[in-house]
Amino acid sequence: KFPNQTKELDNFITRLSMLVEFVGVPENIEYDIEKLIRDKNDRPILRAAIFHKVDVIITGDKDFLEAGITNPKAMSAAEFIL
């Protein structure tokens, strides 16, 4: 989408990869709270977050933000910064 900014994107991804932990989605578990997410394709993200005991999901996805999920808490980037 931004062909003139690939170097900046590569730098960002490199720095980000040093700060985050990538985890898998458990295949054999399903939580009832997943049903609060309208888009079924987003549910594995919530499942992984619950399974790996994350505190916050930072997202711009309204399915998460409007679902009323409290554990883990779904927050926009702007809310998280405050």
Side-chain angles (χ1 to χ4, degrees), residues 46 49-50 54-57 69-74:
L46 178 59
I50 293 168
V54 303
D55 297 318
V56 178
I57 297 173
I69 298 166
T70 58
N71 191 17
K73 175 119 176 91

Side-chain angles (χ1 to χ4, degrees), residues 18-49:
M18 292 185 280
L19 301 171
V20 298
E21 178 182 353
F22 294 94
V23 297
V25 177
E27 299 284 333
N28 57 347
I29 297 173
E30 190 169 310
Y31 301 98
D32 288 336
I33 197 168
E34 291 179 45
K35 295 175 184 152
L36 294 175
I37 302 296
R38 292 179 295 231
D39 185 348
K40 289 182 180 185
N41 293 323
D42 289 340
R43 292 177 183 175
I45 296 166
L46 178 59
R47 182 179 316 138

Side-chain angles (χ1 to χ4, degrees), residues 6 9 12 15 17 20-21 27-28 30 36 49-50 52 58 67 81:
T6 55
L9 181 59
F12 173 75
R15 283 187 270 142
S17 67
V20 298
E21 178 182 353
E27 299 284 333
N28 57 347
E30 190 169 310
L36 294 175
I50 293 168
H52 294 285
I58 301 171
I81 291 172

